[in-house]
């Protein structure tokens, strides 16, 4: 209804004059919506005096009877009073009074136009607000998704830090337990790696060492045999010596 928001129009008439388009050309607002040019309409309707006389103005004002105002606003706003005469003396209406009435008509028409303009803008703003709310919800969902991804990445970083820390502790713990190659300056963290290295890089040295070991073992075996024979010979000599001693004692 046209009466909605009338109190705000009364309270901010200076702002209204700057916000409502007043030029005769097409007007485009901040969203690019064009409005037709505003022009005052011609007054061609006759006054319905019988209907007007039936209205109790005091009652309308005291009871805030907006329905009655709405029913008569078009007739009052667009009626033509130029040819009207006083029903009692048939004289034309007072020019000053007629001018004031026409100003009131123009004011009402301008307020109707202002209300239509503001209502249209309000609808556009509501649509923009709904779009902004939808965008806000979408951004909120994306933010939640990114937050979950960041949380997951932090947990992954924490897990990897723990792995790196454990590996560093293992390296530090095994720093004094390296297995050094007996054929070169390289060292290894386990005996298995060292053996693989020796077999790959020092096979010839292994063969030479094996041959030397075989020779050493052979010599050691021969020495053991000689020692064994020597012990046996020594035992036999002792036995023979004892026999010889007993014979001399008997003689």
């Amino acid at each position: 209804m046209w009466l909605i928001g009338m109190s705000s129009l009364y309270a901010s008439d200076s702002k209204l004059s700057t916000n409502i388009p007043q030029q005769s050309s097409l007007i485009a607002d901040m969203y690019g919506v064009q409005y037709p040019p505003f022009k005052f309409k011609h007054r061609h309707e006759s006054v319905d005096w019988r209907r007007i006389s039936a209205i109790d103005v005091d009652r309308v004002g005291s009871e805030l009877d907006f329905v009655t105002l709405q029913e008569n606003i078009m007739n009052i706003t667009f009626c033509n009073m130029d040819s009207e005469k006083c029903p009692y003396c048939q004289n034309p209406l007072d020019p000053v009074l007629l001018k004031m009435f026409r100003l009131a008509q123009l004011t009402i028409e301008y307020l109707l136009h202002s209300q239509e303009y503001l209502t249209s803008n309000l609808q556009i703003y509501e649509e923009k607000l709904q779009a902004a709310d939808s965008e806000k919800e979408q951004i909120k969902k994306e933010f939640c998704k990114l937050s979950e991804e960041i949380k997951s990445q932090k947990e992954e970083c924490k897990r990897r830090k723990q792995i790196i820390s454990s590996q560093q502790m293992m390296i530090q713990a095994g720093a004094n337990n390296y297995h050094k190659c007996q054929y070169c300056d390289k060292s290894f963290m386990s005996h298995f790696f060292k053996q693989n290295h020796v077999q790959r890089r020092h096979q010839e040295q292994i063969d030479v060492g094996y041959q030397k070991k075989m020779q050493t073992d052979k010599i050691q075996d021969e020495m053991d045999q000689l020692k064994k024979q020597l012990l046996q010979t020594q035992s036999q000599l002792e036995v023979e010596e004892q026999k010889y001693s007993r014979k001399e004692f008997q003689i």
Side-chain angles (χ1 to χ4, degrees), residues 221-234:
D221 290 340
E222 291 177 354
M223 290 178 64
D224 292 340
Q225 290 293 332
L226 291 173
K227 286 181 179 180
K228 185 176 181 181
Q229 291 177 2
L230 180 61
L231 290 174
Q232 290 178 354
T233 303
Q234 187 177 359

Side-chain angles (χ1 to χ4, degrees), residues 1-249:
M1 293 177 61
W2 71 276
L3 292 172
I4 298 175
M6 288 297 291
S7 59
S8 62
L9 292 176
Y10 294 149
S12 58
D13 54 349
S14 60
K15 294 182 180 180
L16 181 64
S17 62
T18 59
N19 293 333
I20 305 302
Q22 302 177 19
Q23 299 178 358
S24 59
S25 59
L26 287 176
I27 302 299
D29 65 357
M30 61 183 296
Y31 296 107
V33 180
Q34 292 186 342
Y35 297 92
F38 172 70
K39 292 182 180 180
F40 287 110
K41 297 180 181 180
H42 296 290
R43 270 62 185 166
H44 53 79
E45 296 185 10
S46 59
V47 182
D48 189 350
W49 291 107
R50 181 176 299 179
R51 187 173 183 177
I52 296 298
S53 61
I55 298 174
D56 186 351
V57 179
D58 294 334
R59 184 192 63 80
V60 172
S62 61
E63 297 180 3
L64 301 178
D65 188 2
F66 298 140
V67 176
T68 300
L69 295 178
Q70 185 70 34
E71 291 174 350
N72 294 275
I73 188 172
M74 300 304 293
N75 181 257
I76 294 174
T77 304
F78 297 104
C79 68
N80 189 350
M81 295 286 290
D82 294 340
S83 60
E84 294 295 331
K85 296 181 180 181
C86 178
Y88 301 103
C89 62
Q90 297 299 317
N91 290 326
L93 297 179
D94 183 84
V96 178
L97 181 61
L98 182 60
K99 181 184 292 186
M100 185 179 66
F101 182 78
R102 292 184 62 185
L103 285 174
Q105 286 182 313
L106 296 177
T107 301
I108 295 173
E109 185 178 0
Y110 177 70
L111 291 177
L112 290 174
H113 166 72
S114 300
Q115 183 188 21
E116 182 180 359
Y117 175 83
L118 294 175
T119 302
S120 178
N121 275 346
L122 179 61
Q123 183 178 1
I124 294 174
Y125 295 151
E126 288 178 350
E127 293 175 356
K128 293 294 180 180
L129 180 60
Q130 291 178 357
D133 289 338
S134 299
E135 184 178 0
K136 177 183 176 182
E137 290 297 326
Q138 183 66 25
I139 293 174
K140 186 177 180 180
K141 291 180 181 179
E142 293 179 358
F143 177 77
C144 293
K145 182 179 179 181
L146 290 175
S147 298
E148 291 295 329
E149 291 180 358
I150 292 173
K151 183 179 179 181
S152 177
Q153 291 294 331
K154 285 183 177 180
E155 292 177 354
E156 180 67 17
C157 289
K158 183 178 180 181
R159 186 181 67 83
R160 293 191 178 186
K161 284 182 179 179
Q162 291 177 350
I163 293 174
I164 293 173
S165 178
S166 300
Q167 290 178 346
Q168 289 177 345
M169 292 177 64
M170 291 175 62
I171 292 173
Q172 291 175 358
N176 298 324
N177 296 323
Y178 286 150
H179 297 267
K180 192 176 185 307
C181 177
Q182 63 269 31
Y183 301 108
C184 64
D185 295 333
K186 292 184 178 180
S187 299
F188 302 90
M189 295 184 64
S190 68
H191 179 72
F192 175 76
F193 292 146
K194 188 195 79 170
Q195 287 297 108
N196 288 339
H197 163 75
V198 171
Q199 291 176 1
R200 289 195 311 269
R201 301 296 183 183
H202 306 290
Q203 187 63 42
E204 294 180 357
Q205 293 171 312
I206 291 175
D207 294 339
V208 173
Y210 180 74
Q211 292 177 0
K212 289 182 178 180
K213 185 176 183 301
M214 291 293 293
Q215 293 177 357
T216 302
D217 292 342
K218 184 178 180 181
I219 293 172
Q220 185 67 36
D221 290 340
E222 291 177 354
M223 290 178 64
D224 292 340
Q225 290 293 332
L226 291 173
K227 286 181 179 180
K228 185 176 181 181
Q229 291 177 2
L230 180 61
L231 290 174
Q232 290 178 354
T233 303
Q234 187 177 359
S235 298
Q236 290 177 358
L237 287 173
E238 289 178 354
V239 171
E240 292 294 331
E241 185 178 357
Q242 290 177 358
K243 288 180 179 181
Y244 181 76
S245 297
R246 283 197 297 269
K247 286 180 180 181
E248 286 185 351
F249 180 75

